[in-house]
Amino acid sequence: MKTQERSEPVAAMPHDAEHRSRATSRTSQGSARASKIREPRSDRLLNMVSIVVLSAIAVSIVYPFVYIASASLSDPDAVNSGRVVLWPVGFNLDAYLAILHYPDVVRGFVNSLIYSGSVMVLGTAIVIAGGYALSRADLPGRRLFMVLFVVTMLFSGGMIPLYLVIQRLGILNTMWAMVLPSCMSVWQLIMTRTYFQVTVPKELLECSQLDGATDFGFFFRIVVPLAKPLIAVNCLLFAVATWNGYFNALIYLNDPHLYPLQLVMRNILLENSYDPSKLTNVDPSRLVQAQQLAGKLKYALIIIASIPPLVAYPFVQKHFVKGMMIGSLKG
Amino acid sequence: MAEPTTNFVDTLRVDDNARQRRRRRVKPQLPLATRILRAWRLYVLLAPALIWVLVFCYWPMYGVQIAFRDFSPATGLTGGPWVGFEHFTRFVTSYQFGLVLKNTLILHLYELAVGFPAPIILALVLNAVRQKYFSRAVQLITYAPNFISVVVVVGIMVMLLDPQAGAVNSLVNLFGAPSVNFMGQAGWFRHLYVFSGVWQTAGFSAIIYLAALSSVPPELHEAARVDGASRLRRIWHLDLPAILPIAVILLILNIGNILNVGFEKVLLMQNPLNLDVSQVIGTYVYQVGLKAPIPQYSYATAIGLFNSVVGVLLLVIVNQMARRIAKAGLF
C-alpha cells in the first residue's frame, strides 16, 4: 500500500499535463517562470511559523537552566525578591564555595563518580562481549538465549523479590548494591547484537579463521576496534543512567556515607533535610547567614549535578544517533 | 537473523528441503556436541550477561511465589506457608484499591494523550524547517533535558514554582494575581507531572521519528512539489505514512506499560498535600513493602504481580487490535 502511494506522484509527473500547468501557474504568479520552483506563499508562512514555534520550545528548555545558574550566582536577597530574571544580580560564588565544604555533597559526588565509573566499565564489557557472542550465527542455542533475554523485557519479579534477592546475596547496604544490579541492560545488549550483525561482515571472520585466529583473537583484535562508536554509546548510556539514578540507592542503602549525589540532592532539595551548621564549619553566630546560603545552595546543587551528563553527551552525540539508529531500526 | 548460507540461495526460489540440502553441502552440520565444544569461547563471552540475567531477573521471578505465601525473613523465599490468593483479594477489596488504580490510569492516560503525539509533532516541525542548521541546533537543545536526572527536573520545578521566590510566581504577580502554591496543590499535580515529562523527553523521543522521516526519498518530495503539493499536503501524504508503523509499535509498548507510570518521578513529586491524586500502584508497593515500619513483603509482591499481569494482558490485547486495524504489530 505504501509503495503504491509513494510511486504515484512520480508516475503522474510526466503524463499529467493538467497537474503540471496548475503547478506552474501557481508558482509563477506575477513573475516569469523561474528555473527553480519557488515556494508557494503558504509554504513560506509554514516555515516561518515552524521557526517561531521551535524557537519558543528551545527557549523554554534553555531558560530554566539559565535562571537556575543565575540564581546560584546571585545575591540571596535579589533571588528572594524576584529581581533575578535572566542574568545574575550581585554576582558571587558563595554557594559553590559552601558546597565544596558541605561534606555530604562532596562525598555524594565522589560516590556517584565511583558508581558510574564502575557500572560503565563493567556494563560495557558485559554488553559488548555478550552482544558479539549473540550476533554469531554459529552459536549453538542462540535462539534460546535470545528468548531468555527478551522475556525479561516483558516480565519481571518486581521491586520486592529483587530487593529480597539483593538481601540474600549479602550486598545490601554495600557499594555492590549500586553496581551489580545496574551493570547490564537487556535493551543495550540487543542493540549491540544488532549492530554487530549489521556491521561485522561474515567474510572478515572467515578470513581471520583461515589465518588461524580463535574466537577470542577475532573478538579482541578485530571486533572491539571496529566497535568504537558502539562502545562509546554503551559507556554513555551506562554512565548517565547510573549517575542519574536515585531509586536503587533509596532502597538498597542505609548508610549515608554510601549515598550517591542524587540521593543527597533529593534530601536537600525536596525533603529540606540539610544541616545549616555544616555549611560554615565553625562560627555559630553566622548561622543566619548560613541559613540564607542554604537556599542558594539548592540552585548550585542543581547545576553541579547536571553538569557531568550535559558535558558528556555532545561528545558522544554523533555516535549516539548512528549507533541507536542501526540498533533500533533493524532490531 | 540471516542464516549463514542463505545468500548463496536467496536469489533462487527453493523449497525448504532443497535449501537444507544446499546448506548441508556448503557447510556440513557437525554433531551438536562438537559444535558446542568448538564454540566454548563464545559461551565464555556470553556468560557474564547470562549470569546477570539469571541472578537479577530470573531469581526474582522465582521469588514471585512469595505473593502466594506468607513470607517470613527467617525461612526465606520458599519457606512460608502457601496462602493462595489471599493477598490479592486483600488488595482488591481494600479501600485503597479504587483510588490507587484510578490515579494510575488517569495519570498514564493523560501522559499518553499529551506525551505520545508531542515527539511526532516536534519531528514533523523540525523536518519541515528549510534552514537545516537551525533545525540541528534546536535538536541539540531539545535532546539535552533527557540526560538530566528526574531529581534535577523535579528540583528545577520546585525552585521555579516556589510561591515566594520562584520565577513563575514572579510572573504571575506581575499580572497582579496572587502567588500560586503549585507543588502544594493536588489539582496541579497531574499537569505538572505530564508537562514536565514532555519537557524532558519529547526531544529525545523525536529522534526515532526523525530517522523514519529521513528514509522518505527526497525525489518523492521533489515530485510532489512539481505537482504543486503544498508543504502541508506533503506532510500529510508523504511524511505521516512514513512514521505510522513505528508510531503504532511505540503506542503498543506504551499501553502495555500502562500501570507502570514513571513512579520514580511520582515518588519525588509526592507530598502529603497531593497524596489523593499522586498515590499510584508503584508508590503504594514501595510504601507498604519497603517503607512501612513492618514491611509486608508478600502483600506488596502480590500488588506488583497484579500490576505486571494486567500490563501484559493489555499489551497482548492492544497488539491484537493493532494487527487487525493497522496491519502492524509487535509480535
Side-chain angles (χ1 to χ4, degrees):
Chain A
M1 188 193 105
K2 203 195 297 164
T3 49
Q4 202 180 19
E5 208 171 308
R6 276 183 179 174
S7 60
E8 218 169 39
V10 181
M13 192 181 73
H15 306 294
D16 200 338
E18 197 188 43
H19 259 275
R20 254 172 116 188
S21 63
R22 217 196 298 150
T24 44
S25 72
R26 194 191 283 175
T27 49
S28 56
Q29 262 174 4
S31 63
R33 194 183 164 190
S35 57
K36 198 181 162 200
I37 301 167
R38 278 184 52 205
E39 299 250 323
R41 191 174 297 152
S42 67
D43 284 11
R44 269 177 288 158
L45 188 70
L46 187 72
N47 199 39
M48 290 292 292
V49 173
S50 307
I51 288 181
V52 171
V53 169
L54 289 179
S55 305
I57 292 173
V59 167
S60 81
I61 286 174
V62 173
Y63 178 73
F65 288 105
V66 174
Y67 173 79
I68 300 275
S70 297
S72 74
L73 293 167
S74 300
D75 188 34
D77 286 337
V79 178
N80 284 331
S81 58
R83 273 185 287 135
V84 175
V85 178
L86 190 60
W87 300 120
V89 178
F91 181 88
N92 67 61
L93 288 167
D94 289 356
Y96 292 92
L97 293 174
I99 276 190
L100 284 180
H101 293 111
Y102 197 70
D104 294 6
V105 174
V106 178
R107 209 169 37 223
F109 198 89
V110 174
N111 285 340
S112 278
L113 283 180
I114 295 173
Y115 301 151
S116 304
S118 321
V119 169
M120 185 178 90
V121 173
L122 212 59
T124 308
I126 293 177
V127 163
I128 296 283
Y132 172 68
L134 281 177
S135 79
R136 283 277 295 268
D138 55 341
L139 176 80
R142 192 170 74 127
R143 291 261 159 80
L144 175 76
F145 293 129
M146 277 310 288
V147 170
L148 213 58
F149 284 114
V150 171
V151 163
T152 65
M153 295 173 93
L154 288 175
F155 300 94
S156 77
M159 192 192 309
I160 310 289
L162 182 58
Y163 175 85
L164 293 173
V165 164
I166 304 262
Q167 194 179 45
R168 194 70 202 281
L169 289 171
I171 57 174
L172 211 59
N173 211 14
T174 66
M175 80 165 264
W176 294 110
M178 296 305 297
V179 176
L180 292 181
S182 330
C183 71
M184 226 288 276
S185 146
V186 174
W187 184 81
Q188 280 169 251
L189 184 80
I190 290 172
M191 183 190 87
T192 305
R193 178 198 77 126
T194 315
Y195 185 91
F196 281 136
Q197 274 179 348
V198 175
T199 57
V200 180
K202 205 167 66 256
E203 290 75 17
L204 204 58
L205 173 69
E206 283 162 6
C207 266
S208 55
Q209 275 174 341
L210 284 180
D211 288 342
T214 62
D215 287 330
F216 283 159
F218 183 70
F219 176 69
F220 288 112
R221 296 221 197 121
I222 315 277
V223 172
V224 171
L226 270 179
K228 270 182 199 144
L230 191 64
I231 292 174
V233 170
N234 276 312
C235 280
L236 179 84
L237 288 176
F238 277 118
V240 169
T242 313
W243 181 271
N244 284 342
Y246 81 96
F247 191 72
N248 283 0
L250 182 69
I251 60 179
Y252 300 144
L253 298 180
N254 288 320
D255 182 0
H257 291 271
L258 293 173
Y259 282 177
L261 183 62
Q262 302 293 338
L263 196 56
V264 176
M265 270 183 63
R266 170 185 180 264
N267 294 342
I268 294 179
L269 280 177
L270 304 173
E271 316 266 285
N272 279 319
S273 64
Y274 52 87
D275 182 1
S277 64
K278 278 187 184 166
L279 284 173
T280 52
N281 30 12
V282 268
D283 207 349
S285 66
R286 286 169 66 193
L287 211 61
V288 178
Q289 200 193 337
Q291 214 117 30
Q292 217 176 23
L293 199 59
K296 251 180 80 175
L297 185 92
K298 296 181 178 179
Y299 294 101
L301 253 181
I302 292 179
I303 296 297
I304 283 193
S306 355
I307 282 176
L310 285 186
V311 167
Y313 121 85
F315 286 107
V316 209
Q317 198 239 351
K318 195 178 64 188
H319 299 314
F320 195 71
V321 174
K322 197 173 131 203
M324 226 178 62
M325 273 182 200
I326 292 181
S328 55
L329 284 184
K330 292 270 182 168
Chain B
M1 287 209 201
E3 288 298 322
T5 54
T6 43
N7 57 341
F8 291 105
V9 292
D10 58 7
T11 47
L12 308 164
R13 293 187 59 199
V14 285
D15 60 62
D16 271 39
N17 280 338
R19 190 176 285 219
Q20 261 181 356
R21 254 184 283 120
R22 252 163 229 274
R23 187 190 290 163
R24 241 177 248 132
R25 210 175 62 208
V26 174
K27 193 177 171 188
Q29 281 283 50
L30 295 163
L32 185 67
T34 321
R35 281 187 295 141
I36 289 177
L37 280 177
R38 284 213 182 152
W40 70 270
R41 291 185 177 88
L42 292 179
Y43 288 112
V44 172
L45 291 177
L46 187 61
L50 211 54
I51 292 171
W52 186 89
V53 172
L54 291 177
V55 172
F56 291 104
C57 299
Y58 285 97
W59 195 0
M61 278 189 217
Y62 174 71
V64 156
Q65 54 178 290
I66 68 168
F68 305 97
R69 291 173 183 270
D70 264 336
F71 175 81
S72 98
T75 50
L77 287 179
T78 53
W82 291 99
V83 294
F85 285 87
E86 191 189 283
H87 298 294
F88 293 90
T89 35
R90 204 176 118 213
F91 174 56
V92 174
T93 52
S94 79
Y95 75 101
Q96 284 274 25
F97 177 73
L99 182 78
V100 170
L101 195 67
K102 192 184 90 185
N103 286 340
T104 313
L105 283 174
I106 292 180
L107 201 59
H108 189 85
L109 288 176
Y110 186 11
E111 193 187 21
L112 202 63
V114 178
F116 183 73
I120 299 181
I121 295 167
L122 182 66
L124 288 173
V125 175
L126 278 169
N127 200 50
V129 170
R130 266 186 300 123
Q131 288 76 4
K132 285 303 158 203
Y133 62 93
F134 176 78
S135 147
R136 292 269 157 68
V138 174
Q139 275 181 51
L140 202 69
I141 292 172
T142 50
Y143 294 169
N146 188 64
F147 290 85
I148 289 166
S149 73
V150 277
V151 181
V152 166
V153 171
V154 177
I156 290 177
M157 249 197 296
V158 170
M159 301 310 269
L160 283 178
L161 300 175
D162 189 83
Q164 273 102 49
V168 173
N169 272 314
S170 304
L171 193 73
V172 171
N173 290 339
L174 206 65
F175 289 107
S179 293
V180 183
N181 184 7
F182 291 100
M183 297 301 286
Q185 279 180 10
W188 279 97
F189 172 80
R190 283 178 186 140
H191 310 295
L192 291 177
Y193 176 85
V194 167
F195 284 93
S196 64
V198 169
W199 181 84
Q200 187 175 12
T201 60
F204 200 74
S205 317
I207 288 186
I208 191 114
Y209 296 114
L210 282 168
L213 285 175
S214 69
S215 70
V216 180
E219 303 89 60
L220 285 185
H221 275 285
E222 284 303 315
R225 276 174 66 182
V226 171
D227 284 352
S230 70
R231 184 73 236 201
L232 273 177
R233 272 201 164 277
R234 281 184 282 142
I235 288 179
W236 186 253
H237 289 296
L238 294 177
D239 290 348
L240 271 182
I243 55 180
L244 195 66
I246 195 104
V248 171
I249 289 177
L250 291 181
L251 189 65
I252 295 171
L253 281 175
N254 247 318
I255 293 174
N257 248 346
I258 200 154
L259 297 187
N260 292 326
V261 265
F263 86 100
E264 296 200 2
K265 198 167 124 200
V266 175
L267 195 66
L268 290 170
M269 292 176 67
Q270 204 168 60
N271 56 43
L273 296 169
N274 62 22
L275 211 56
D276 274 349
V277 291
S278 69
Q279 188 74 291
V280 295
I281 293 185
T283 55
Y284 187 60
V285 170
Y286 169 67
Q287 217 138 59
V288 299
L290 293 171
K291 211 182 160 208
I294 308 158
Q296 301 170 283
Y297 291 128
S298 287
Y299 182 50
T301 306
I303 305 170
L305 187 59
F306 170 84
N307 198 5
S308 20
V309 168
V310 175
V312 170
L313 279 180
L314 279 172
L315 188 76
V316 172
I317 293 170
V318 174
N319 189 57
Q320 287 297 326
M321 275 163 51
R323 278 218 312 220
R324 289 252 174 84
I325 300 165
K327 306 262 187 293
L330 201 58
F331 44 78

